[in-house]
Structure formats: C-alpha cells, structure tokens
C-alpha cells in the first residue's frame, strides 16, 4: 500500500519550469536563427535570477529543497545501485544530476557575464574586465563559456534520457510530480516525512521573500550597468601633460 504526499513546494516547481523555459530560449537563440541572439542575454539574466534563488532556497527552503537533505552520500548511492534505497524526494543518482547541473550553471553564468565574442554579444561585465584587467581575460571567458554551454546541453540531454528511461522502462513517469508536486511513498516513509517537514511552514513567506530579494540583487548587480556604476568604477587614468620645451 502506498500513500500520495506533497513533496515539491510551489517555489521549486516554478524554478524547475522557469529554468526549462530559460535554457530552451538560451539554446535556440545561440544554436539557431529562429530568434534574435539578443535573447541569449535575456535568458542568461533569467537563469541567473532562477539559479540565485535556488541556491538560497537550497539553504533556507522547505525540507526536500534543502541541499543537505539530498546530498549524494556514498552509502545512499550503494543502496541505490543495489535497488535498496528508499526515500522521499531526489534519489541519490538524481541528486548527482542536480548538483552537476547547478555547478555547471554557476560556472556558465560566471563566464557568460564576462564574455565578449567581438561580434554581437557582450556580457555585462566584459567592458569592466577590459578597463580593470585586460581584453584577453574576456576572450578567455568567452571560450570557457562556449565550452560550458555545450557541457550544460549534454547534462540536460542526459537528464531527459533518464526521464525517458524511467517512463518507458520502469513505468514511472517523473514529469507529473514536478507539475503537482506529489509523490507516492510507503506508509513508513510517510510518517518519517511528516516528522521531518513539521516545521516547513514556519516563516515560509519570510524565507521565500529573502530568497527572492537576494536573487534580484545578484541579478541587478551582474546585469544592470547603472547599479554597477554605483558599486565600482574603472580605475582613473592619469593624463600627464607633456613638459614644455625650454628655450
């Protein structure tokens, strides 16, 4: 006998589908001619906001959203390989996928905001690198960003392949759970989960507001030139007047 319980909260589900849309737009804008490549910058901004929120929510969010609750421990991975693992939320292998994708996205954003392809796209911090350091740093960031972008596409492809495998081979469709947030578990896990999530609603909206504000601030600092000018400015270049010739 199994019971259906609420596992994924609304913020996690909105993050998930928002990231799906943002990554799709990002790939289409740079790999095809269907939309203007300026949308690559807009989608990057959206990914930054979503990723910043997820990192905050992974620390102060609901039980199944917190990183410490699904950190892929070796014992759990062994149990998963032996088909002995039982739990609520991310499985150990799914957790590996989550952390891998989040790590790649962090590096992709970090290099993207500093990149400059010298053609049509320039990251919002690229001109600061030219003023503060050297243009070669921005060029290197562009190369790293392009490589990381392809790694991200590979991870997303593996994620989709895993979803298809679970749906067709194991007869376990994972997609609806990320729509309604519910999962079927055994009664023993239901009782355990109820105890673990007893305090999830405490200060929920305060924690949600803090995560949203932090995500908004990070996005503004990285992408808004006016905010950047308030926080830092390029070094002043001193102009030394030429000495007058003595007669």
């Amino acid at each position: 006998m199994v019971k259906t319980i609420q596992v994924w909260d609304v913020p996690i589900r909105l993050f998930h589908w928002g990231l799906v849309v943002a990554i799709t737009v990002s790939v289409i804008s740079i790999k095809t001619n269907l939309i203007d490549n300026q949308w690559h910058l807009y989608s990057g901004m959206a990914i930054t906001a979503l990723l910043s929120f997820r990192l905050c929510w992974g620390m102060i969010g609901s039980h199944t959203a917190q990183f410490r609750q699904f950190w892929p421990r070796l014992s759990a991975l062994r149990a998963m390989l032996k088909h002995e693992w039982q739990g609520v939320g991310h499985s150990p292998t799914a957790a590996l996928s989550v952390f891998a994708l989040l790590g790649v996205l962090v590096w992709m954003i970090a290099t993207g905001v500093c990149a400059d392809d010298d053609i049509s796209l320039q990251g919002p911090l690229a001109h600061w690198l030219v003023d503060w350091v050297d243009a070669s740093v921005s060029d290197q960031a562009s190369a790293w960003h392009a490589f990381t972008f392809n790694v991200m596409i590979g991870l997303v492809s593996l994620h989709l392949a895993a979803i298809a495998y679970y749906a067709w081979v194991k007869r376990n469709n994972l997609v609806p759970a990320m729509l309604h947030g519910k999962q079927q578990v055994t009664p023993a896990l239901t009782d355990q989960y109820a105890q673990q999530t007893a305090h999830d609603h405490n200060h929920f909206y305060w924690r949600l507001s803090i995560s949203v504000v932090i995500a908004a601030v990070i996005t503004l600092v990285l992408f808004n030139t006016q905010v950047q000018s308030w926080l830092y400015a390029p070094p002043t270049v001193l102009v030394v007047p030429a000495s007058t010739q003595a007669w």
Side-chain angles (χ1 to χ4, degrees), residues 79-127:
M80 184 76 181
L81 293 175
K82 295 178 181 179
H83 305 286
E84 297 174 353
W85 179 84
Q86 288 186 331
V88 178
H90 289 302
S91 68
T93 50
L96 284 176
S97 174
V98 169
F99 283 111
L101 184 57
L102 290 178
V104 167
L105 287 175
V106 167
W107 184 243
M108 190 178 74
I109 292 298
T111 54
V113 295
C114 300
D116 186 355
D117 65 0
D118 296 321
I119 302 174
S120 59
L121 288 175
Q122 183 185 63
L125 298 184
H127 66 286

Side-chain angles (χ1 to χ4, degrees), residues 127-189:
H127 66 286
W128 296 104
L129 281 177
V130 173
D131 293 333
W132 279 92
V133 190
D134 188 77
S136 61
V137 179
S138 182
D139 294 337
Q140 184 62 58
S142 299
W144 286 338
H145 182 69
F147 173 77
T148 309
F149 190 78
N150 290 327
V151 172
M152 183 269 297
I153 293 176
L155 287 176
V156 170
S157 300
L158 285 175
H159 182 66
L160 294 175
I163 292 174
Y165 171 77
Y166 268 82
W168 293 336
V169 178
K170 292 196 170 187
R171 303 297 179 184
N172 182 12
N173 191 351
L174 301 176
V175 175
M178 200 48 71
L179 291 171
H180 50 59
K182 298 177 181 178
Q183 183 178 345
Q184 290 186 332
V185 298
T186 62
L189 287 175

Side-chain angles (χ1 to χ4, degrees), residues 9 11 38 40 45 50 57 60 72 85 140 169-170 172 179 187 189 191-192 210-211 221 225 240:
D9 58 27
Q38 191 66 23
H40 191 70
M45 191 184 307
L50 290 165
W57 200 240
I60 63 174
W85 179 84
Q140 184 62 58
V169 178
K170 292 196 170 187
N172 182 12
L179 291 171
L189 287 175
D191 297 336
Q192 178 184 351
I210 290 171
S211 300
V221 169
T225 54
V240 180

Side-chain angles (χ1 to χ4, degrees), residues 30-52:
I30 209 69
K31 296 293 186 180
T32 73
N33 295 320
L34 296 176
I35 57 177
D36 189 87
N37 60 7
Q38 191 66 23
W39 280 95
H40 191 70
L41 179 63
Y42 301 148
S43 61
M45 191 184 307
I47 292 172
T48 301
L50 290 165
L51 183 60
S52 301

Side-chain angles (χ1 to χ4, degrees), residues 57-71:
W57 200 240
M59 292 181 284
I60 63 174
S62 55
H63 179 79
T64 49
Q66 293 181 16
F67 298 135
R68 62 187 178 90
Q69 299 301 333
F70 62 92
W71 183 260

